Amino acid sequence: GENVEQHPSTLSVQEGDSAVIKCTYSDSASNYFPWYKQELGKRPQLIIDIRSNVGEKKDQRIAVTLNKTAKHFSLHITETQPEDSAVYFCAAITSGTYKYIFGTGTRLKVLA
Amino acid sequence: SAVISQKPSRDICQRGTSLTIQCQVDSQVTMMFWYRQQPGQSLTLIATANQGSEATYESGFVIDKFPISRPNLTFSTLTVSNMSPEDSSIYLCTVGRTGGTEAFFGQGTRLTVV
């Protein structure tokens, strides 16, 4: 089955700097890769996603890149702000089963 | 999008008892899943709730411990049976549509077993 690894587990950046979180997946049949943000005590919320037929997607300060050959994808947050502080989860979904397999999470702290 | 109502939002239960968590979606969805999130941890898939048939459980989870029902395309229940303190966790109902798209989460049930 699918396995998703996520690094780093914690990340501290100064406000205004960029943050990068990386995930690798094992199942080459996975074709959808969302990123979720979870604030303390709240449910995960989708912030950006990418499909396997696209290499990069950007939405304002957030971007995701996908390397299908290497089976890894990354979340990029530019010009970080204190409100970006949260836990971020990547996920991979395999066509057919549609199960969402989540990475282990990255706790991002943006220091003012 | 999908609006998910999950209840109870939290409960404190005695060990050895069972708790049933309900998940109601405002529209028909193809996929319904139950996840567990232990404090500070990631989301672990317990099972896929299949409409009209037995749920599909992930490794490490069994039907006797986590029986699941899904009588229709908008409703599912997860029961945590014969609870022990190790079952203390947040349980999340999650739904998705076919084709591999965004997953929507219920607000979660915070379970404490004493």
Side-chain angles (χ1 to χ4, degrees):
Chain A
E2 177 67 279
N3 182 52
V4 179
E5 296 186 356
Q6 183 172 346
H7 300 281
S9 57
T10 61
L11 179 60
S12 294
V13 299
Q14 291 291 328
E15 182 178 1
D17 288 350
S18 296
V20 181
I21 304 170
K22 298 181 179 179
C23 288
T24 60
Y25 60 99
S26 61
D27 190 344
S28 56
S30 292
N31 61 358
Y32 175 67
F33 308 93
W35 284 90
Y36 286 83
K37 176 183 180 182
Q38 187 176 32
E39 297 176 332
L40 189 62
K42 297 186 177 180
R43 74 190 82 183
Q45 299 279 359
L46 180 75
I47 56 171
I48 197 167
D49 56 11
I50 192 167
R51 296 193 179 278
S52 58
N53 59 348
V54 176
E56 183 174 359
K57 183 177 179 180
K58 188 174 182 180
D59 182 4
Q60 299 183 339
R61 296 186 298 109
I62 296 173
V64 56
T65 58
L66 171 65
N67 183 327
K68 286 176 55 180
T69 302
K71 290 191 281 189
H72 67 70
F73 56 111
S74 300
L75 176 70
H76 305 255
I77 305 174
T78 59
E79 302 172 23
T80 54
Q81 302 168 2
E83 51 265 38
D84 294 328
S85 296
V87 178
Y88 292 81
F89 293 101
C90 63
I93 290 84
T94 303
S95 62
T97 67
Y98 302 113
K99 294 189 296 186
Y100 300 80
I101 305 301
F102 287 87
T104 47
T106 297
R107 184 174 300 277
L108 174 64
K109 296 181 183 179
V110 180
L111 308 173
Chain B
S1 66
V3 177
I4 304 168
S5 173
Q6 185 177 336
K7 55 184 180 182
S9 59
R10 60 178 63 228
D11 207 342
I12 301 173
C13 300
Q14 295 290 325
R15 66 177 66 199
T17 63
S18 297
L19 175 72
T20 295
I21 303 168
Q22 297 182 0
C23 177
Q24 178 74 55
V25 190
D26 68 338
S27 59
Q28 292 185 349
V29 290
T30 308
M31 315 301 295
M32 292 184 78
F33 307 95
W34 288 96
Y35 284 84
R36 182 174 71 185
Q37 187 174 31
Q38 295 178 312
Q41 301 297 313
S42 185
L43 299 107
T44 301
L45 181 61
I46 297 172
T48 303
N50 301 309
Q51 191 251 332
S53 65
E54 191 172 289
T56 305
Y57 289 85
E58 297 299 306
S59 176
F61 298 95
V62 295
I63 188 172
D64 290 347
K65 176 68 175 177
F66 298 100
I68 289 170
S69 77
R70 189 178 174 192
N72 56 53
L73 292 176
T74 63
F75 185 77
S76 178
T77 66
L78 167 74
T79 298
V80 186
S81 303
N82 188 24
M83 288 183 286
S84 66
E86 292 71 36
D87 295 319
S88 297
S89 188
I90 296 173
Y91 293 85
L92 291 150
C93 170
T94 306
V95 306
R97 306 187 193 279
T98 53
T101 57
E102 176 182 358
F104 300 94
F105 290 86
Q107 69 268 41
T109 297
R110 183 180 295 272
L111 171 63
T112 303
V113 183
V114 297

